């Protein structure tokens, strides 16, 4: 049962919102407090959820006929310790602005996803992972504490010592326990904003998984892209890119004078949603070939922008998938039987008739402590599909295969998983999360389209 909502009392402007995949839009009431301290004053207790920069692919930050609290104006730096790199900021602060201000001073986000257009609050709610998960773990590893607005209207501090149940359940908790107002995170000391990198061309899946295993113990950052046109014996062919922060001494002479450069805003944009006709097997083949070429031709030294955020160069690149949008399907499966399972999953994807697009393969390290954090030890693969008639059916088939392999999907990317499948993928953890939700939000104030879909909220 959903709560009846008296719309006349909701603070916010009726707005159609979608996730980054733009595959479903719902109308909610978007409030935009200017300061973290204003959030309590606008909170609508009949159903609300926070929204950062909307980079989750599905319905995590949309809330049909209920309130969405846009946090991006609450983006102030509150304190910085130059000795330790410890930063306290409002939760709407983006990694982009942290990099712009602190990289020139020799500090970089400790853990970053594949885009810098995310907020600290969003990184906490999804407990995001980066290319160095096997070394650094999830975002929770760089968070000391945060303040959170609870359903009761109380603002509390959560850390490893204070309210630890709330602290850990908020990581991966998809904004369903409260609104993070401020956070204290640790940045990483860097000598340069460049990376030493190496690209390794690989011919098939066996070689690819062996290369990932081998290079993960040598380089902290590693990620592979598969050639989705390679089938049969070539299945799993692709490029593995590995790297590490470049020290000053490793930079070529021409970069030494200015080792901490920061990139500007994107210079190219996709102005409108592309017509669906532009997506077809031929265009996919061409784009895929271009990606493989770019990946394998990277120089030995690469700026962070290219190393971490190649897609950030093109503003609104998601519009390239057309009006129906797209989904990114990301899963992790255990190492055990990993090769066999991966082969079956890839074969299912490539023989499905769907148009698989950008993809990323990597190894995850140890499971984190966030109650519903996605990463666990194993192989993780993420792949984009433009939405077509049979896309949902394919994701359902894949869900069954992932479940059977003892794996799970990532809510931050998901749009379609069914509640019973989700629950089975996170055995015992959903129940643990719901117990914390009952404690801190017994009336179900915090809810979202995703929360209701996967039954984490009412
Ligand atoms: C190009 C691209 C690459 C990506 N690469 C990766 C990757 O490598 N690894 C990875 O893990 N993810 C990756 N992502 C996903 C992205 O990092 C996450 O979805 C992240 O949470 C988005 O942050 P956001 O600020 O846009 O949050 P939104 O998408 O706006 O919201 C995400 C969730 O956070 C909650 N939330 C936001 N702010 C708050 C707050 N203040 N308090 C409480 N809850 C809040 C929302 O309610 C929602 O549940 C990628 C996304 C894109 C588009």
């Amino acid at each position: 049962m959903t709560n009846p909502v008296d719309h006349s009392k909701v603070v916010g402007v009726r707005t159609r919102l979608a996730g980054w995949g733009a595959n479903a839009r719902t109308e909610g009431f978007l409030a935009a407090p200017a300061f973290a301290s204003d959030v309590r004053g606008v909170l609508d207790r009949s159903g609300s959820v926070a929204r950062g920069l909307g980079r989750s692919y599905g319905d995590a930050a949309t809330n049909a006929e209920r309130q969405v609290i846009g946090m991006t104006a609450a983006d102030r730096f509150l304190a910085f310790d130059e000795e330790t790199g410890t930063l306290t900021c409002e939760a709407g602060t983006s990694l982009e602005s942290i990099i712009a201000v602190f990289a020139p001073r020799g500090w970089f986000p400790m853990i970053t996803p594949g885009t810098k257009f995310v907020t600290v609050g969003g990184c906490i709610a999804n407990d995001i992972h980066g290319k160095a998960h096997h070394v650094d773990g999830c975002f929770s590893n760089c968070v000391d504490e945060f303040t959170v607005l609870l359903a009761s209207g109380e603002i509390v501090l959560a850390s490893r010592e204070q309210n630890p149940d709330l602290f850990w359940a908020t990581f991966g908790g998809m904004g369903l326990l409260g609104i993070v107002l401020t956070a204290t995170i640790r940045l990483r000391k860097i000598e340069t904003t460049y990376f030493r990198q190496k690209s390794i061309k690989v011919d098939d899946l066996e070689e690819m998984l062996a290369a990932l295993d081998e290079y993960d113990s040598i380089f902290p950052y590693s990620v592979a892209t598969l050639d989705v046109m390679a089938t049969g014996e070539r299945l799993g062919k692709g490029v593995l890119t590995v790297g590490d922060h470049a020290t000053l001494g490793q930079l070529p002479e021409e970069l030494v004078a200015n080792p901490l450069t920061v990139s500007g805003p994107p210079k190219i944009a996709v102005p409108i949603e592309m017509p669906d006709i532009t997506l077809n097997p031929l265009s996919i083949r061409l784009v895929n070939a271009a990606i493989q070429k770019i990946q394998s031709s990277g120089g030995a030294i690469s700026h962070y922008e290219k190393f971490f955020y190649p897609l950030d160069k093109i503003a609104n690149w998601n519009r390239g998938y057309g009006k129906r949008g797209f989904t990114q399907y990301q899963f992790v499966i255990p190492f055990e039987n990993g090769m066999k399972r991966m082969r079956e999953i890839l074969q299912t994807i490539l023989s499905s008739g769907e148009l698989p697009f950008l993809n990323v393969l990597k190894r995850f390290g140890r499971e984190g402590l966030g109650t519903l954090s996605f990463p666990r030890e194993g192989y993780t693969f993420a792949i984009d599909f433009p939405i077509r008639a049979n896309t949902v059916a394919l994701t359902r088939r894949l869900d069954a295969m992932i479940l059977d392999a003892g794996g799970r999907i990532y809510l931050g990317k998901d749009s379609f998983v069914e509640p019973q499948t989700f629950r089975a993928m996170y055995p015992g953890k959903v129940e643990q999360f719901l117990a914390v939700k009952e404690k801190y939000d017994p009336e179900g104030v915090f809810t979202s389209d995703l929360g209701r879909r996967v039954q984490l909220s009412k």
Side-chain angles (χ1 to χ4, degrees):
M1 280 284 285
T2 51
N3 296 334
V5 179
D6 178 357
H7 293 147
S8 63
K9 298 208 178 103
V10 182
V11 178
V13 177
R14 190 174 262 282
T15 309
R16 262 163 81 77
L17 292 167
W20 190 245
N23 56 45
R25 291 179 169 79
T26 60
E27 279 193 6
F29 296 88
L30 183 62
F35 298 91
S37 53
D38 291 344
V39 175
R40 177 163 41 190
V42 302
L43 176 69
D44 182 64
R45 301 195 77 256
S46 57
S48 185
V49 77
R51 180 178 174 97
L53 278 159
R55 259 40 180 207
S56 288
Y57 282 69
D59 47 1
T62 61
N63 207 6
E65 297 303 319
R66 293 169 181 78
Q67 187 183 51
V68 177
I69 301 190
M71 291 295 291
T72 52
D75 63 348
R76 284 157 200 82
F77 301 123
L78 303 173
F80 184 62
D81 182 335
E82 197 80 50
E83 289 291 302
T84 60
T86 305
L87 170 70
T88 301
C89 59
E90 290 182 312
T93 304
S94 68
L95 294 195
E96 181 201 19
S97 62
I98 292 177
I99 294 168
V101 171
F102 295 99
R105 293 157 75 166
W107 297 96
F108 205 81
M110 182 91 79
I111 293 153
T112 172
T115 172
K116 59 188 178 304
F117 300 121
V118 287
T119 62
V120 168
C123 289
I124 291 174
N126 265 316
D127 202 9
I128 61 91
H129 57 271
K131 285 184 184 182
H133 181 271
H134 60 287
V135 177
D136 292 332
C138 298
F139 199 73
S140 41
N141 276 0
C142 72
V143 179
D144 283 345
E145 59 185 36
F146 50 79
T147 58
V148 55
L149 171 67
L150 297 177
S152 61
E154 199 188 346
I155 295 171
V156 298
L157 186 80
S159 69
R160 287 167 182 77
E161 293 77 36
Q162 286 197 53
N163 302 308
D165 56 348
L166 179 63
F167 183 74
W168 291 117
T170 300
F171 293 106
M174 312 307 295
L176 298 171
L177 295 177
I179 301 199
V180 176
L181 300 179
T182 64
T184 299
I185 63 174
R186 272 166 285 114
L187 305 184
R188 181 191 303 279
K189 186 86 190 127
I190 49 165
E191 284 184 30
T192 80
T193 47
Y194 292 87
F195 285 78
R196 264 181 328 124
Q197 71 161 34
K198 184 176 158 102
S199 296
I200 304 118
K201 281 193 190 173
V202 173
D203 282 332
D204 62 30
L205 189 62
E206 194 168 350
E207 245 186 68
M208 177 59 86
L209 298 188
L212 274 166
D213 295 353
E214 181 189 341
Y215 281 95
D216 264 13
S217 54
I218 308 173
F219 286 93
Y221 297 98
S222 70
V223 68
T225 306
L226 302 188
D227 177 349
V228 288
M229 293 299 147
T231 52
E233 291 194 346
R234 312 298 302 280
L235 186 84
K237 169 177 177 263
V239 181
L240 169 64
T241 308
V242 293
D244 197 357
H245 294 270
T247 60
L248 202 50
Q250 288 163 343
L251 287 192
E253 229 175 277
E254 65 274 18
L255 298 177
V256 171
N258 207 356
L260 292 165
T261 52
V262 165
S263 50
K267 293 200 179 79
I268 318 168
V270 179
I272 51 158
E273 275 160 352
M274 302 297 277
D276 291 342
I277 196 154
T278 51
L279 290 171
N280 55 53
L282 177 66
S283 62
I284 301 277
R285 191 176 283 278
L286 292 173
V287 172
N288 182 65
I291 292 169
Q292 292 291 311
K293 192 150 192 273
I294 294 165
Q295 294 290 341
S296 55
S297 64
I301 294 288
S302 172
H303 190 245
Y304 72 80
E305 192 66 36
K306 182 158 184 271
F307 188 76
F308 278 141
Y309 313 122
L311 289 167
D312 284 357
K313 277 204 179 111
I314 307 168
N316 300 320
W317 61 263
N318 55 343
R319 291 177 176 165
Y321 283 99
K323 277 200 172 17
R324 281 181 291 178
F326 70 111
T327 189
Q328 183 170 105
Y329 189 83
Q330 181 166 6
F331 64 84
V332 55
I333 52 166
F335 290 131
E336 205 189 343
N337 288 326
M339 163 86 74
K340 179 176 165 288
R341 301 283 193 175
M342 238 6 230
R343 188 181 298 283
E344 289 164 0
I345 294 164
L346 288 175
Q347 275 163 349
T348 302
I349 291 174
L350 299 182
S351 63
S352 66
E354 294 300 306
L355 299 174
F357 226 68
L358 302 177
N359 68 82
V360 166
L361 171 69
K362 74 167 271 86
R363 276 170 62 107
F364 275 152
R366 259 185 305 148
E367 180 149 9
L369 293 175
T371 312
L372 285 178
S373 295
F374 161 63
R376 52 153 293 159
E377 218 173 31
Y379 296 111
T380 182
F381 186 62
I383 184 158
D384 288 1
F385 299 104
I387 301 291
R388 305 199 318 163
N390 295 320
T391 312
V392 179
L394 172 63
T395 67
R396 296 270 156 79
R397 274 174 72 198
L398 295 175
D399 285 347
M401 296 177 85
I402 305 310
L403 187 57
D404 191 52
R408 50 170 83 140
I409 55 96
Y410 185 15
L411 283 185
K413 306 282 178 77
D414 176 67
S415 294
F416 305 118
V417 76
E418 291 175 306
Q420 64 279 14
T421 312
F422 167 68
R423 197 175 269 248
M425 285 174 172
Y426 287 78
K429 287 167 177 277
V430 172
E431 293 74 9
Q432 208 183 326
F433 177 83
L434 290 175
V436 181
K437 174 123 174 114
E438 181 60 28
K439 176 175 168 188
Y440 289 97
D441 183 16
E443 287 164 33
V445 169
F446 295 104
T447 182
S448 64
D449 291 341
L450 176 137
R452 291 186 293 280
R453 174 167 63 82
V454 300
Q455 295 177 2
L456 287 177
S457 68
K458 283 183 241 156

